[in-house]
Amino acid sequence: MKKILFLLLFPVYLSAQTIPVLTQEGVAPVVTEIDSLSASELYNRTKAWIAYYYKNSNNVLAADIENEMLRINGYRESFYVVPSMFPYYYDVEYTITFEFKDGRYRYGFNVISATYKGQTNINTPDIFFKKKDGSVKKSYKKPYTDFSMSLLNLYMDHFDFITKYKKE
């Protein structure tokens, strides 16, 4: 159901702004423009999102330069799945860096590790790109799609929160 909704809404959202995309080099950072918000407001709303989204928000905060930059170290179970007779559900440890300017912020996502049942996968998601032309290998289309969906969901959770945030 999520994928159907994603496919219906994706073209509308894509035309509105740029989203993070997984490439052979990793996840390409994006700059999101929100003209109505200052760097200070973007920074404060992102801090509020971190407190809302993560159980131990103080533990995930890796760097904090007031009104300029936030970096978090996060972890998500079942970030993507590699299908087989017995599917491999990969948990992903990641870093997100937010850099703020008036009216915009830069969102950078970096995979630290992908693990299956506690065993670290040395090959991060760039393994999806195995063809010489840089395209996704047929057998990796499902994990690539799952990874992209998880990435988009995380990005959209943040974007929706900061654009709709009302200080109580």
Side-chain angles (χ1 to χ4, degrees):
M1 181 66 181
K2 276 186 178 179
K3 289 183 182 176
I4 292 170
L5 183 61
F6 168 74
L7 293 174
L8 292 173
L9 296 177
F10 186 71
V12 173
Y13 184 74
L14 186 59
S15 65
Q17 65 185 56
T18 306
I19 59 171
V21 176
L22 178 62
T23 67
Q24 280 186 287
E25 291 77 38
V27 177
V30 296
V31 174
T32 303
E33 294 190 21
I34 305 176
D35 294 332
S36 61
L37 298 176
S38 68
S40 174
E41 289 172 306
L42 289 167
Y43 168 86
N44 288 325
R45 289 178 183 206
T46 297
K47 280 197 85 161
W49 174 77
I50 293 167
Y52 171 81
Y53 193 80
Y54 294 94
K55 287 181 189 175
N56 300 314
S57 58
N58 290 334
N59 293 340
V60 300
L61 197 57
D64 183 347
I65 301 173
E66 191 170 350
N67 299 329
E68 291 182 28
M69 188 269 290
L70 290 167
R71 181 175 301 126
I72 58 173
N73 293 326
Y75 178 84
R76 183 179 278 183
E77 293 180 350
S78 301
F79 200 85
Y80 66 95
V81 62
V82 176
S84 69
M85 189 172 187
F86 301 101
Y88 297 94
Y89 291 89
Y90 281 87
D91 304 334
V92 172
E93 185 179 358
Y94 57 84
T95 299
I96 301 175
T97 303
F98 302 94
E99 297 173 87
F100 308 102
K101 302 275 186 195
D102 287 340
R104 66 185 188 274
Y105 68 95
R106 185 174 192 251
Y107 180 98
F109 184 95
N110 184 45
V111 174
I112 297 170
S113 68
T115 58
Y116 169 72
K117 290 189 177 180
Q119 297 179 350
T120 301
N121 178 1
I122 297 169
N123 298 315
T124 53
D126 61 340
I127 64 164
F128 300 149
F129 302 97
K130 290 292 187 180
K131 290 186 177 179
K132 289 182 181 178
D133 67 358
S135 62
V136 178
K137 189 175 178 181
K138 184 178 179 181
S139 61
Y140 282 102
K141 289 198 186 280
K142 167 97 171 95
Y144 175 81
T145 301
D146 286 352
F147 186 94
S148 297
M149 286 294 298
S150 291
L151 179 63
L152 180 62
N153 287 337
L154 191 58
Y155 173 79
M156 287 301 299
D157 283 345
H158 172 258
F159 178 80
D160 287 345
F161 186 92
I162 65 168
T163 56
K164 296 173 184 171
Y165 179 74
K166 302 259 190 273
K167 193 170 185 176
E168 296 176 7

